């Protein structure tokens, strides 16, 4: 009898759970333990990357009409300002002989540079060292061009080597160019004639004399004063952003009209008109700073929210970057607190409370993800870092749990910064333990398997795509964000994650 009652109780509980999970099915996946990785699809996409039509740029030219025909009047309508968003690989045809693996290793090298530079930037801010007090390691500035402007040592080739791009119209009439998207910096800039030193880009270099909306900023302007590094020349403002590895951009700080998709234009956006630029990503004309500082694009256009969806890096598909728009957070979003650092307002921090693998919470002290009073630690969400970085002990706990849950997969040697790899060449699809990020109020974001078990070549080697860092700062990278719309609700300090809203 007692046994029967126990069974019926168990059945009752089971039915209740089933009911609850079907009602809340959109929030709580039915099976939180296991996720399917479509191995054939990942390999197919990886193969696609290295056999792609080199003239992919023509695909992007289709939007030109809508950008070129701007009437250059500020838009105040409530529909969002939108830009198309492309991945690096969809823009940049690998040169002859480069295979997926070498492309991938190059990317990981850039990624380490970026991680270092984000940490350096934060370190300088926390120690209260003005970036202008530091002499760039190798930058030799041309005296007559830039006076004695000295720049911050940040970022390596990191920002210029961005992984995602948008096409933006600059000036009046608007000239469409590719711009790197970067949530880890604020200053917008574009290469500008006359070029003392310009790297190669896909479109003609911007020519200020052909734009009726080009206006130099004075040294007294608020925008000029907001720069980390500025200099006054004859009353007008010069800017510099430079990088520890010798790459940099220097020039006039001006305002210009930017044109978005559908010919919507915003006047008087402060941008750098860079006459000396070096070492940045070939093809892009410049960079859009999407950080939280006052000179970033979201701040300048006074938007209370923006969202982006990072398309799969190996795919040709495009998605959008939207400023404003309703609803701010899509209805099925998982939300997390958006936190800021009093020492540096550029980065977007996340209120992460824990990580689970295969449905089991890892035993990680919550302080591992918290920022301390001095501004150290915490976890930021970044568009330009590829692989998520976690403090070493957190990473080890996560990796060990994953390895235990993925015992059935044939293992392979580590690759670069990845110590956990598998040979899936004989598989078409595999089950892997689900990795979820947890936020306050019981919310969780279950990552798709392809966002953490990723191909490192096109013949079936996959690696667990998290990495340890010796820094206190953790970073959610773009590999983990792929295919998810990330919405930053700046007004309400929330970050939303919505699967399949690209
Ligand atoms: C894997 O993806 C391919 C498309 O590339 C699809 O045809 C196939 O059905 C998928 N397999 C599974 C198990 O979902
Ligand atoms: C400063 O401006 C004056 C007047 O506009 C001009 O004559 C002079 O050449 C400028 N000097 C420099 C260094 O550009
Ligand atoms: C943003 O707000 C500032 C200050 O209120 C204002 O000067 C500026 O014109 C606004 N910009 C846009 C694009 O609305």
């Amino acid at each position: 009898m007692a046994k029967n009652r126990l069974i019926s109780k168990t059945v009752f509980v089971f039915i209740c759970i089933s009911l609850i999970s079907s009602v809340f099915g959109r929030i709580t996946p039915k099976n939180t333990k296991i996720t399917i990785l479509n191995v054939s699809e990942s390999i197919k996409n990886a193969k696609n990357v290295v056999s792609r039509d080199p003239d992919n740029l023509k695909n992007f030219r289709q939007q030109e009409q809508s950008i070129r025909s701007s009437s250059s009047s500020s838009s105040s309508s409530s529909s969002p300002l939108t830009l198309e968003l492309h991945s690096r690989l969809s823009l940049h045809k690998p040169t002859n002989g480069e295979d997926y693996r070498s492309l991938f290793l190059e990317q990981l090298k850039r990624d380490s540079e970026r991680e270092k530079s984000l940490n350096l930037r934060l370190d300088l801010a926390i120690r209260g060292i003005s970036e202008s007090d530091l002499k760039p390691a190798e930058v030799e500035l041309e005296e007559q061009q830039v006076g004695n402007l000295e720049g911050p040592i940040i970022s390596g080739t990191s920002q210029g080597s961005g992984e995602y791009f948008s096409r933006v119209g600059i000036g009046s009439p608007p000239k469409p160019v590719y711009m790197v998207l970067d949530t880890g910096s604020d200053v917008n800039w574009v290469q500008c004639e006359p070029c003392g030193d310009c790297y190669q880009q896909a479109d003609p270099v911007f020519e200020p004399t052909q734009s009726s909306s080009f206006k130099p900023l004075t040294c007294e302007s608020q925008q000029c004063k907001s720069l980390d590094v500025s200099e006054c020349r004859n009353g007008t403002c010069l800017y510099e952003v430079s990088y520890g590895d010798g790459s940099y951009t220097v020039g006039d700080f001006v305002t210009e009209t930017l044109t978005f998709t559908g010919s919507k234009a915003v006047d008087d956006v402060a941008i750098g008109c860079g006459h000396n630029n070096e070492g940045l990503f070939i093809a892009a004309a410049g960079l859009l700073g999407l950080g939280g500082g006052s000179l970033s694009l979201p701040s300048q256009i006074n938007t209370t929210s923006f969202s982006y969806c990072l398309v799969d890096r190996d795919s040709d598909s495009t998605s959008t970057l939207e400023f404003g728009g309703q609803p701010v957070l899509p209805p099925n979003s998982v939300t997390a607190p958006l936190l800021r650092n009093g020492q540096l307002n550029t980065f977007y921090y996340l209120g992460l409370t824990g990580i689970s693998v295969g449905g089991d919470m890892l035993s990680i002290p919550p302080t591992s993800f918290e920022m301390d009073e001095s501004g150290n630690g915490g976890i930021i969400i970044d568009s330009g870092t590829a692989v998520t970085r976690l403090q070493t002990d957190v990473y080890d706990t996560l990796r060990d749990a994953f390895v235990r849950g993925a015992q059935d997969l044939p293992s392979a040697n580590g690759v670069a910064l990845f110590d956990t790899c598998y040979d899936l060449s004989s598989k078409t699809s595999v089950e892997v333990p689900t990795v979820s990020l947890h936020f306050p109020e019981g919310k969780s974001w279950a990552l798709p398997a392809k966002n953490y078990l990723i191909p490192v070549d096109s013949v079936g080697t996959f690696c667990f795509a998290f990495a340890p860092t010796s820094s206190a700062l953790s970073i959610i990278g773009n590999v983990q964000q792929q295919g998810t719309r990330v919405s930053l609700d700046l007004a309400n300090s929330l970050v939303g994650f919505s699967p399949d809203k690209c």
Side-chain angles (χ1 to χ4, degrees):
M1 263 335 254
K3 199 176 172 195
N4 267 354
R5 216 176 297 142
L6 187 63
I7 290 173
S8 57
K9 236 185 213 165
T10 312
V11 168
F12 176 73
V13 168
F14 179 76
I15 291 172
C16 284
I17 291 175
S18 308
L19 275 176
I20 290 169
S21 64
S22 62
V23 170
F24 296 103
R26 284 190 310 172
I27 305 166
T28 318
K30 284 202 184 67
N31 188 343
T32 54
K33 291 182 184 301
I34 293 289
T35 302
I36 307 285
L37 175 71
N38 189 332
V39 175
S40 344
E41 188 174 49
S42 290
I43 294 179
K44 196 180 83 190
N45 288 340
K47 284 192 172 136
N48 216 4
V49 166
V50 279
S51 61
R52 194 170 276 151
D53 174 3
D55 199 16
N56 227 315
L57 293 182
K58 68 174 182 278
N59 298 341
F60 301 110
R61 301 252 146 85
Q62 288 162 0
Q63 328 164 33
E64 304 291 84
Q65 247 5 72
S66 107
I67 292 177
R68 282 189 197 280
S69 60
S70 163
S71 54
S72 180
S73 65
S74 278
S75 147
S76 58
S77 83
S78 58
S79 63
L81 289 168
T82 303
L83 292 172
E84 285 218 4
L85 188 151
H86 312 278
S87 76
R88 177 191 181 93
L89 285 173
S90 70
L91 201 117
H92 182 57
K93 168 70 182 173
T95 50
N96 284 344
E98 268 184 312
D99 56 13
Y100 188 84
R101 190 183 167 98
S102 49
L103 282 175
F104 189 79
L105 292 176
E106 276 169 35
Q107 184 191 12
L108 291 182
K109 225 184 278 167
R110 293 194 302 272
D111 214 38
S112 298
E113 289 298 321
R114 181 169 180 93
E115 198 225 336
K116 259 188 257 163
S117 70
L118 293 177
N119 272 291
L120 187 51
R121 177 97 197 278
L122 181 60
D123 193 43
L124 294 177
I126 288 172
R127 290 192 292 150
I129 298 175
S130 161
E131 286 167 343
S132 56
D133 294 344
L134 293 165
K135 202 164 175 71
E138 294 166 43
V139 181
E140 283 177 24
L141 300 173
E142 286 163 49
E143 280 306 311
Q144 90 274 30
Q145 279 281 351
V146 297
N148 58 356
L149 208 55
E150 290 175 5
I153 303 178
I154 54 167
S155 218
T157 51
S158 53
Q159 271 131 346
S161 68
E163 303 299 326
Y164 290 94
F165 298 85
S166 276
R167 199 126 171 95
V168 184
I170 313 255
S172 306
K175 294 286 178 0
V177 293
Y178 297 107
M179 299 283 264
V180 172
L181 300 178
D182 185 14
T183 58
S185 70
D186 297 319
V187 178
N188 307 290
W189 59 268
V190 62
Q191 297 202 103
C192 237
E193 295 287 0
C195 272
D197 195 354
C198 284
Y199 62 86
Q200 193 190 336
Q201 66 175 59
D203 300 288
V205 172
F206 182 68
E207 174 52 84
T209 58
Q210 286 171 14
S211 171
S212 60
S213 48
F214 182 91
K215 286 181 277 227
L217 281 163
T218 66
C219 306
E220 286 70 44
S221 62
Q222 194 51 52
Q223 294 99 318
C224 188
K225 289 177 179 161
S226 301
L227 285 165
D228 283 335
V229 185
S230 65
E231 173 108 336
C232 210
R233 188 181 55 187
N234 232 359
T236 64
C237 184
L238 297 178
Y239 80 100
E240 177 181 336
V241 182
S242 76
Y243 309 92
D245 65 350
S247 48
Y248 58 90
T249 171
V250 184
D252 296 303
F253 208 46
V254 306
T255 59
E256 254 300 5
T257 297
L258 299 193
T259 302
F260 296 74
T261 306
S263 306
K264 288 192 188 172
V266 178
D267 295 332
D268 301 327
V269 178
I271 64 169
C273 166
H275 300 298
N276 288 274
N277 319 278
E278 209 165 82
L280 295 143
F281 173 51
I282 296 172
L287 178 144
L288 291 182
L290 300 178
S294 63
L295 290 174
S296 76
L297 186 58
S299 300
Q300 289 200 56
I301 64 179
N302 301 333
T303 189
T304 54
S305 68
F306 72 96
S307 76
Y308 58 80
C309 182
L310 304 179
V311 290
D312 287 3
R313 293 163 320 134
D314 296 345
S315 84
D316 274 334
S317 52
T318 63
S319 64
T320 58
L321 166 65
E322 297 182 4
F323 301 92
Q326 294 295 330
V328 171
L329 301 171
N332 66 341
S333 309
V334 170
T335 54
L338 169 63
L339 310 171
R340 304 303 273 271
N341 188 336
Q343 309 297 322
L344 180 66
N345 55 11
T346 305
F347 297 165
Y348 298 110
Y349 288 77
L350 210 53
L352 183 70
T353 54
I355 303 178
S356 66
V357 174
D360 298 325
M361 285 301 290
L362 302 178
S363 61
I364 299 169
T367 49
S368 307
F369 305 117
E370 284 167 12
M371 198 190 318
D372 65 22
E373 307 84 65
S374 64
N376 274 307
I379 184 161
I380 62 170
I381 179 151
D382 184 35
S383 66
T385 304
V387 175
T388 291
R389 300 300 204 285
L390 299 169
Q391 291 175 8
T392 304
D393 49 343
V394 174
Y395 170 76
D396 288 347
T397 308
L398 170 66
R399 187 260 331 271
D400 292 348
F402 183 85
V403 167
R404 274 195 304 277
Q407 272 167 7
D408 295 342
L409 302 185
S411 64
N413 290 333
V415 174
L417 80 174
F418 297 133
D419 59 15
T420 302
C421 301
Y422 299 93
D423 173 7
L424 305 183
S425 54
S426 62
K427 313 271 185 190
T428 52
S429 88
V430 294
E431 290 186 343
V432 297
T434 305
V435 175
S436 299
L437 304 185
H438 294 259
F439 309 113
E441 298 169 22
K443 294 179 175 149
S444 67
W445 171 33
L447 302 177
K450 66 177 176 188
N451 287 16
Y452 56 90
L453 201 54
I454 65 170
V456 296
D457 56 30
S458 48
V459 296
T461 312
F462 283 69
C463 293
F464 184 58
F466 286 85
T469 176
S470 54
S471 309
L473 181 71
S474 303
I475 306 170
I476 304 279
N478 59 43
V479 167
Q480 278 65 38
Q481 298 173 54
Q482 287 179 108
T484 302
R485 181 156 291 273
V486 176
S487 309
L488 290 106
D489 181 347
L490 305 172
N492 299 303
S493 295
L494 288 173
V495 185
F497 299 99
S498 342
D500 309 319
K501 279 279 181 299
C502 279

